[in-house]
Amino acid sequence: MKDEGTRLAVAAILETVMAMQSEMAAMNARQVEILDRLNHIDAGPPTTTDLVPMLEIILARLIEDRERQAEGFERTAELAAFAHAAASGQGAPLPDEVADHALLKRFAYLQPAEREPSDPALARWRQEVKRASTDELTKVLKAQYMPSPTEPVDVRVLRFRLAAITRDELKARGAVLPPAHPPAIVHDHSVMSKQARIAELGALWRAGDSLALHGEAELAGAIDYMRRTRARLLAEGNSPELVDDLMEQLHEKIGDELSGGQVVKRQTAPAYDAPGRENGKDFDLGSPRETAPNIR
């Protein structure tokens, strides 16, 4: 988080703190007023006690709002710490839970591209964008800005990091970029919407190597796993012909599992660890289970 990214993050933090302070003051005033009314009703005639349940419900909701505001202040403090570190030249990637927070919507959309990323998906994408046409990149960038009903937090964060690299390349070419606006939020989380997205991901995977495939954050875990598996099989002394055959089988198996609602989760573990997969719990399409492709 440097330069423009730091300024955006700091601006978002300051604006949010001011808004939250104003909301807290208003909520405190409303809570005091309701407490005064409850005390007045308790001391008043019996006919006024009918108002007590309603006021107690309102008071309970105000208390819940205060708890959410307190959580918001805690998150703001985390963001402020990272922003201060970045401004001091000690920048580091934000944790996914922080980077995905509503406070950083503007930063998520406009964050600067990482020049020397350590994340395999980002490093791979930096190479891919150099070989792609401007029209192809523009189309992929629009897709990277589109929210998905099946993406978990870490994938959503990756999606905007990939988009930053795409946007950076298009800017360098002098291309016209899509209008800048805060990232969209998925409103349709129905099973039908998720099934449609799963079918889309499965079709993209089965179509084989493409720019759109490498630019799709939800398939980054599968691509990483394919590459790690290929490297392991070759390191074990298998012939390139055998490895190619095994990789073809693995590609087909992953495609079948994607169509069934399973996705290869992104890994931070050592390179040769088997991937985690999950389906039903995230996609509401069945019972969750863990599996790894058996290709040997």
Side-chain angles (χ1 to χ4, degrees):
M1 193 189 302
K2 297 180 181 179
D3 302 330
E4 180 185 6
T6 300
R7 289 194 297 272
L8 286 170
V10 172
I13 291 167
L14 292 177
E15 290 176 4
T16 304
V17 169
M18 293 174 63
M20 291 173 67
Q21 287 176 333
S22 177
E23 289 180 16
M24 286 289 285
M27 289 170 60
N28 284 333
R30 289 196 297 270
Q31 186 171 340
V32 170
E33 180 182 357
I34 291 175
L35 286 171
D36 288 342
R37 289 186 181 182
L38 285 172
N39 291 332
H40 178 72
I41 290 171
D42 285 340
T47 55
T48 62
T49 57
D50 292 341
L51 298 174
V52 172
M54 180 180 66
L55 290 176
E56 287 180 340
I57 291 174
I58 295 175
L59 180 61
R61 290 178 178 175
L62 283 174
I63 293 174
E64 290 177 1
D65 288 342
R66 286 173 61 87
E67 292 175 350
R68 285 196 293 269
Q69 290 288 350
E71 181 182 353
F73 274 118
E74 181 180 352
R75 186 68 72 203
T76 300
E78 291 183 73
L79 293 173
F82 274 92
H84 180 271
S88 303
Q90 302 176 13
L94 291 172
D96 292 338
E97 295 76 11
V98 177
D100 188 54
H101 195 272
L103 298 180
L104 287 184
K105 280 186 177 180
R106 283 196 303 163
F107 173 75
Y109 188 91
L110 298 172
Q111 64 182 288
E114 297 180 39
R115 299 295 181 180
E116 297 180 0
S118 57
D119 188 307
L122 296 176
R124 182 170 62 247
W125 187 237
R126 285 204 67 88
Q127 297 175 351
E128 293 291 332
V129 297
K130 298 297 182 183
R131 297 191 287 265
S133 70
T134 299
D135 288 342
E136 287 178 313
L137 287 177
T138 301
K139 183 178 180 180
V140 170
L141 180 59
K142 291 179 180 178
Q144 288 171 335
Y145 283 148
M146 291 296 293
S148 168
T150 58
E151 62 182 5
V153 170
D154 64 317
V155 171
R156 186 159 52 246
V157 171
L158 174 64
R159 176 163 59 86
F160 282 103
R161 293 172 73 190
L162 290 169
I165 293 175
T166 313
R167 184 176 59 248
D168 189 60
E169 177 64 24
L170 287 172
K171 281 183 177 180
R173 299 183 186 188
V176 178
L177 300 176
H181 56 78
I185 299 174
V186 175
H187 296 289
D188 183 4
H189 291 280
S190 66
V191 172
M192 184 176 297
S193 173
K194 293 177 180 179
Q195 286 178 326
R197 176 58 174 163
I198 289 168
E200 179 183 354
L201 292 172
L204 180 59
W205 178 262
R206 287 190 295 273
D209 190 56
S210 68
L211 183 71
L213 175 66
H214 290 285
E216 176 54 68
E218 286 191 82
L219 296 178
I223 297 173
D224 288 345
Y225 179 58
M226 288 278 292
R227 293 198 168 198
R228 290 198 305 266
T229 302
R230 182 180 183 83
R232 174 177 62 80
L233 292 174
L234 290 172
E236 291 174 351
N238 295 288
S239 68
E241 293 77 12
L242 175 60
V243 171
D244 288 343
D245 181 60
L246 292 173
M247 295 308 297
E248 184 176 344
Q249 294 178 44
L250 176 58
H251 184 273
E252 182 177 353
K253 184 173 182 63
I254 291 177
D256 291 341
E257 294 186 351
L258 281 169
S259 298
Q262 292 183 297
V263 61
V264 180
K265 296 167 63 176
R266 298 219 323 132
Q267 298 289 301
T268 56
Y272 294 150
D273 283 3
R277 292 169 176 265
E278 59 187 0
N279 62 349
K281 187 173 183 180
D282 279 355
F283 301 159
D284 297 324
L285 297 178
S287 301
R289 66 186 177 93
E290 296 290 331
T291 183
N294 179 13
I295 64 170
R296 297 299 298 273

PDB file of all heavy atoms in Angstrom, residues 237-256:
ATOM      1  N   GLY A 237      10.841 -37.864 -11.183  1.00  0.00           N
ATOM      2  CA  GLY A 237      11.491 -38.642 -12.233  1.00  0.00           C
ATOM      3  C   GLY A 237      10.564 -39.237 -13.266  1.00  0.00           C
ATOM      4  O   GLY A 237      10.997 -40.058 -14.091  1.00  0.00           O
ATOM      5  N   ASN A 238       9.290 -38.843 -13.253  1.00  0.00           N
ATOM      6  CA  ASN A 238       8.359 -39.352 -14.267  1.00  0.00           C
ATOM      7  C   ASN A 238       8.682 -38.735 -15.631  1.00  0.00           C
ATOM      8  O   ASN A 238       9.145 -37.603 -15.730  1.00  0.00           O
ATOM      9  CB  ASN A 238       6.918 -38.993 -13.883  1.00  0.00           C
ATOM     10  CG  ASN A 238       6.485 -39.691 -12.606  1.00  0.00           C
ATOM     11  OD1 ASN A 238       6.263 -40.891 -12.591  1.00  0.00           O
ATOM     12  ND2 ASN A 238       6.370 -38.924 -11.530  1.00  0.00           N
ATOM     13  N   SER A 239       8.417 -39.511 -16.689  1.00  0.00           N
ATOM     14  CA  SER A 239       8.686 -39.010 -18.037  1.00  0.00           C
ATOM     15  C   SER A 239       7.714 -37.890 -18.381  1.00  0.00           C
ATOM     16  O   SER A 239       6.573 -37.875 -17.893  1.00  0.00           O
ATOM     17  CB  SER A 239       8.544 -40.139 -19.057  1.00  0.00           C
ATOM     18  OG  SER A 239       7.192 -40.539 -19.158  1.00  0.00           O
ATOM     19  N   PRO A 240       8.119 -36.917 -19.205  1.00  0.00           N
ATOM     20  CA  PRO A 240       7.213 -35.836 -19.610  1.00  0.00           C
ATOM     21  C   PRO A 240       5.926 -36.364 -20.239  1.00  0.00           C
ATOM     22  O   PRO A 240       4.850 -35.777 -20.039  1.00  0.00           O
ATOM     23  CB  PRO A 240       8.051 -35.040 -20.616  1.00  0.00           C
ATOM     24  CG  PRO A 240       9.464 -35.310 -20.209  1.00  0.00           C
ATOM     25  CD  PRO A 240       9.476 -36.721 -19.730  1.00  0.00           C
ATOM     26  N   GLU A 241       6.017 -37.461 -20.993  1.00  0.00           N
ATOM     27  CA  GLU A 241       4.827 -38.025 -21.629  1.00  0.00           C
ATOM     28  C   GLU A 241       3.820 -38.512 -20.585  1.00  0.00           C
ATOM     29  O   GLU A 241       2.611 -38.277 -20.703  1.00  0.00           O
ATOM     30  CB  GLU A 241       5.207 -39.178 -22.558  1.00  0.00           C
ATOM     31  CG  GLU A 241       6.018 -38.775 -23.786  1.00  0.00           C
ATOM     32  CD  GLU A 241       7.483 -38.513 -23.456  1.00  0.00           C
ATOM     33  OE1 GLU A 241       7.922 -38.871 -22.323  1.00  0.00           O
ATOM     34  OE2 GLU A 241       8.179 -37.950 -24.314  1.00  0.00           O
ATOM     35  N   LEU A 242       4.344 -39.220 -19.562  1.00  0.00           N
ATOM     36  CA  LEU A 242       3.464 -39.710 -18.508  1.00  0.00           C
ATOM     37  C   LEU A 242       2.857 -38.546 -17.732  1.00  0.00           C
ATOM     38  O   LEU A 242       1.664 -38.547 -17.406  1.00  0.00           O
ATOM     39  CB  LEU A 242       4.237 -40.620 -17.556  1.00  0.00           C
ATOM     40  CG  LEU A 242       3.471 -41.112 -16.314  1.00  0.00           C
ATOM     41  CD1 LEU A 242       2.231 -41.903 -16.734  1.00  0.00           C
ATOM     42  CD2 LEU A 242       4.367 -41.923 -15.398  1.00  0.00           C
ATOM     43  N   VAL A 243       3.675 -37.547 -17.452  1.00  0.00           N
ATOM     44  CA  VAL A 243       3.189 -36.379 -16.711  1.00  0.00           C
ATOM     45  C   VAL A 243       2.087 -35.684 -17.502  1.00  0.00           C
ATOM     46  O   VAL A 243       1.052 -35.294 -16.937  1.00  0.00           O
ATOM     47  CB  VAL A 243       4.342 -35.408 -16.404  1.00  0.00           C
ATOM     48  CG1 VAL A 243       3.797 -34.099 -15.820  1.00  0.00           C
ATOM     49  CG2 VAL A 243       5.331 -36.049 -15.435  1.00  0.00           C
ATOM     50  N   ASP A 244       2.291 -35.537 -18.801  1.00  0.00           N
ATOM     51  CA  ASP A 244       1.261 -34.893 -19.627  1.00  0.00           C
ATOM     52  C   ASP A 244      -0.053 -35.660 -19.558  1.00  0.00           C
ATOM     53  O   ASP A 244      -1.141 -35.065 -19.463  1.00  0.00           O
ATOM     54  CB  ASP A 244       1.725 -34.794 -21.079  1.00  0.00           C
ATOM     55  CG  ASP A 244       2.811 -33.752 -21.278  1.00  0.00           C
ATOM     56  OD1 ASP A 244       2.970 -32.889 -20.384  1.00  0.00           O
ATOM     57  OD2 ASP A 244       3.497 -33.805 -22.319  1.00  0.00           O
ATOM     58  N   ASP A 245       0.035 -36.978 -19.585  1.00  0.00           N
ATOM     59  CA  ASP A 245      -1.166 -37.800 -19.522  1.00  0.00           C
ATOM     60  C   ASP A 245      -1.858 -37.659 -18.166  1.00  0.00           C
ATOM     61  O   ASP A 245      -3.089 -37.522 -18.088  1.00  0.00           O
ATOM     62  CB  ASP A 245      -0.805 -39.261 -19.780  1.00  0.00           C
ATOM     63  CG  ASP A 245      -2.019 -40.181 -19.746  1.00  0.00           C
ATOM     64  OD1 ASP A 245      -2.933 -39.973 -20.565  1.00  0.00           O
ATOM     65  OD2 ASP A 245      -2.064 -41.071 -18.883  1.00  0.00           O
ATOM     66  N   LEU A 246      -1.069 -37.692 -17.108  1.00  0.00           N
ATOM     67  CA  LEU A 246      -1.638 -37.547 -15.765  1.00  0.00           C
ATOM     68  C   LEU A 246      -2.260 -36.166 -15.567  1.00  0.00           C
ATOM     69  O   LEU A 246      -3.316 -36.029 -14.935  1.00  0.00           O
ATOM     70  CB  LEU A 246      -0.558 -37.797 -14.713  1.00  0.00           C
ATOM     71  CG  LEU A 246      -0.030 -39.231 -14.622  1.00  0.00           C
ATOM     72  CD1 LEU A 246       1.136 -39.314 -13.669  1.00  0.00           C
ATOM     73  CD2 LEU A 246      -1.145 -40.185 -14.186  1.00  0.00           C
ATOM     74  N   MET A 247      -1.618 -35.137 -16.111  1.00  0.00           N
ATOM     75  CA  MET A 247      -2.149 -33.788 -15.971  1.00  0.00           C
ATOM     76  C   MET A 247      -3.462 -33.630 -16.737  1.00  0.00           C
ATOM     77  O   MET A 247      -4.367 -32.907 -16.306  1.00  0.00           O
ATOM     78  CB  MET A 247      -1.127 -32.763 -16.453  1.00  0.00           C
ATOM     79  CG  MET A 247       0.148 -32.711 -15.618  1.00  0.00           C
ATOM     80  SD  MET A 247      -0.161 -32.531 -13.839  1.00  0.00           S
ATOM     81  CE  MET A 247      -0.974 -30.950 -13.798  1.00  0.00           C
ATOM     82  N   GLU A 248      -3.574 -34.311 -17.853  1.00  0.00           N
ATOM     83  CA  GLU A 248      -4.821 -34.267 -18.609  1.00  0.00           C
ATOM     84  C   GLU A 248      -5.949 -34.902 -17.799  1.00  0.00           C
ATOM     85  O   GLU A 248      -7.079 -34.395 -17.768  1.00  0.00           O
ATOM     86  CB  GLU A 248      -4.648 -34.998 -19.946  1.00  0.00           C
ATOM     87  CG  GLU A 248      -5.873 -34.925 -20.842  1.00  0.00           C
ATOM     88  CD  GLU A 248      -5.635 -35.568 -22.190  1.00  0.00           C
ATOM     89  OE1 GLU A 248      -4.458 -35.799 -22.550  1.00  0.00           O
ATOM     90  OE2 GLU A 248      -6.626 -35.861 -22.885  1.00  0.00           O
ATOM     91  N   GLN A 249      -5.616 -36.013 -17.123  1.00  0.00           N
ATOM     92  CA  GLN A 249      -6.614 -36.663 -16.277  1.00  0.00           C
ATOM     93  C   GLN A 249      -7.013 -35.756 -15.107  1.00  0.00           C
ATOM     94  O   GLN A 249      -8.192 -35.658 -14.752  1.00  0.00           O
ATOM     95  CB  GLN A 249      -6.052 -37.982 -15.731  1.00  0.00           C
ATOM     96  CG  GLN A 249      -5.795 -39.036 -16.786  1.00  0.00           C
ATOM     97  CD  GLN A 249      -5.202 -40.299 -16.178  1.00  0.00           C
ATOM     98  OE1 GLN A 249      -5.654 -40.766 -15.130  1.00  0.00           O
ATOM     99  NE2 GLN A 249      -4.176 -40.845 -16.808  1.00  0.00           N
ATOM    100  N   LEU A 250      -6.017 -35.100 -14.523  1.00  0.00           N
ATOM    101  CA  LEU A 250      -6.284 -34.212 -13.396  1.00  0.00           C
ATOM    102  C   LEU A 250      -7.143 -33.027 -13.834  1.00  0.00           C
ATOM    103  O   LEU A 250      -8.073 -32.625 -13.128  1.00  0.00           O
ATOM    104  CB  LEU A 250      -4.965 -33.715 -12.800  1.00  0.00           C
ATOM    105  CG  LEU A 250      -5.082 -32.694 -11.653  1.00  0.00           C
ATOM    106  CD1 LEU A 250      -5.890 -33.282 -10.502  1.00  0.00           C
ATOM    107  CD2 LEU A 250      -3.699 -32.270 -11.176  1.00  0.00           C
ATOM    108  N   HIS A 251      -6.822 -32.473 -14.994  1.00  0.00           N
ATOM    109  CA  HIS A 251      -7.595 -31.348 -15.514  1.00  0.00           C
ATOM    110  C   HIS A 251      -9.064 -31.738 -15.692  1.00  0.00           C
ATOM    111  O   HIS A 251      -9.978 -30.985 -15.334  1.00  0.00           O
ATOM    112  CB  HIS A 251      -7.010 -30.882 -16.847  1.00  0.00           C
ATOM    113  CG  HIS A 251      -7.677 -29.665 -17.406  1.00  0.00           C
ATOM    114  ND1 HIS A 251      -8.801 -29.734 -18.195  1.00  0.00           N
ATOM    115  CD2 HIS A 251      -7.380 -28.345 -17.273  1.00  0.00           C
ATOM    116  CE1 HIS A 251      -9.174 -28.520 -18.543  1.00  0.00           C
ATOM    117  NE2 HIS A 251      -8.333 -27.651 -17.991  1.00  0.00           N
ATOM    118  N   GLU A 252      -9.296 -32.932 -16.215  1.00  0.00           N
ATOM    119  CA  GLU A 252     -10.663 -33.404 -16.430  1.00  0.00           C
ATOM    120  C   GLU A 252     -11.380 -33.623 -15.101  1.00  0.00           C
ATOM    121  O   GLU A 252     -12.563 -33.294 -14.951  1.00  0.00           O
ATOM    122  CB  GLU A 252     -10.646 -34.700 -17.238  1.00  0.00           C
ATOM    123  CG  GLU A 252     -12.029 -35.246 -17.562  1.00  0.00           C
ATOM    124  CD  GLU A 252     -11.969 -36.490 -18.428  1.00  0.00           C
ATOM    125  OE1 GLU A 252     -10.862 -36.844 -18.889  1.00  0.00           O
ATOM    126  OE2 GLU A 252     -13.028 -37.115 -18.634  1.00  0.00           O
ATOM    127  N   LYS A 253     -10.651 -34.181 -14.127  1.00  0.00           N
ATOM    128  CA  LYS A 253     -11.256 -34.448 -12.819  1.00  0.00           C
ATOM    129  C   LYS A 253     -11.637 -33.150 -12.115  1.00  0.00           C
ATOM    130  O   LYS A 253     -12.720 -33.031 -11.533  1.00  0.00           O
ATOM    131  CB  LYS A 253     -10.297 -35.261 -11.945  1.00  0.00           C
ATOM    132  CG  LYS A 253     -10.899 -35.670 -10.609  1.00  0.00           C
ATOM    133  CD  LYS A 253      -9.974 -36.609  -9.874  1.00  0.00           C
ATOM    134  CE  LYS A 253     -10.593 -37.054  -8.548  1.00  0.00           C
ATOM    135  NZ  LYS A 253     -11.836 -37.816  -8.740  1.00  0.00           N
ATOM    136  N   ILE A 254     -10.751 -32.163 -12.173  1.00  0.00           N
ATOM    137  CA  ILE A 254     -11.057 -30.871 -11.555  1.00  0.00           C
ATOM    138  C   ILE A 254     -12.265 -30.235 -12.236  1.00  0.00           C
ATOM    139  O   ILE A 254     -13.127 -29.644 -11.587  1.00  0.00           O
ATOM    140  CB  ILE A 254      -9.838 -29.935 -11.610  1.00  0.00           C
ATOM    141  CG1 ILE A 254      -8.735 -30.454 -10.671  1.00  0.00           C
ATOM    142  CG2 ILE A 254     -10.227 -28.513 -11.206  1.00  0.00           C
ATOM    143  CD1 ILE A 254      -7.461 -29.636 -10.705  1.00  0.00           C
ATOM    144  N   GLY A 255     -12.347 -30.373 -13.564  1.00  0.00           N
ATOM    145  CA  GLY A 255     -13.489 -29.845 -14.290  1.00  0.00           C
ATOM    146  C   GLY A 255     -14.795 -30.477 -13.838  1.00  0.00           C
ATOM    147  O   GLY A 255     -15.812 -29.785 -13.663  1.00  0.00           O
ATOM    148  N   ASP A 256     -14.779 -31.801 -13.631  1.00  0.00           N
ATOM    149  CA  ASP A 256     -15.978 -32.497 -13.154  1.00  0.00           C
ATOM    150  C   ASP A 256     -16.369 -32.004 -11.759  1.00  0.00           C
ATOM    151  O   ASP A 256     -17.557 -31.810 -11.465  1.00  0.00           O
ATOM    152  CB  ASP A 256     -15.732 -34.006 -13.115  1.00  0.00           C
ATOM    153  CG  ASP A 256     -15.606 -34.611 -14.515  1.00  0.00           C
ATOM    154  OD1 ASP A 256     -16.048 -33.961 -15.484  1.00  0.00           O
ATOM    155  OD2 ASP A 256     -15.045 -35.719 -14.622  1.00  0.00           O
TER     156      ASP A 256
END
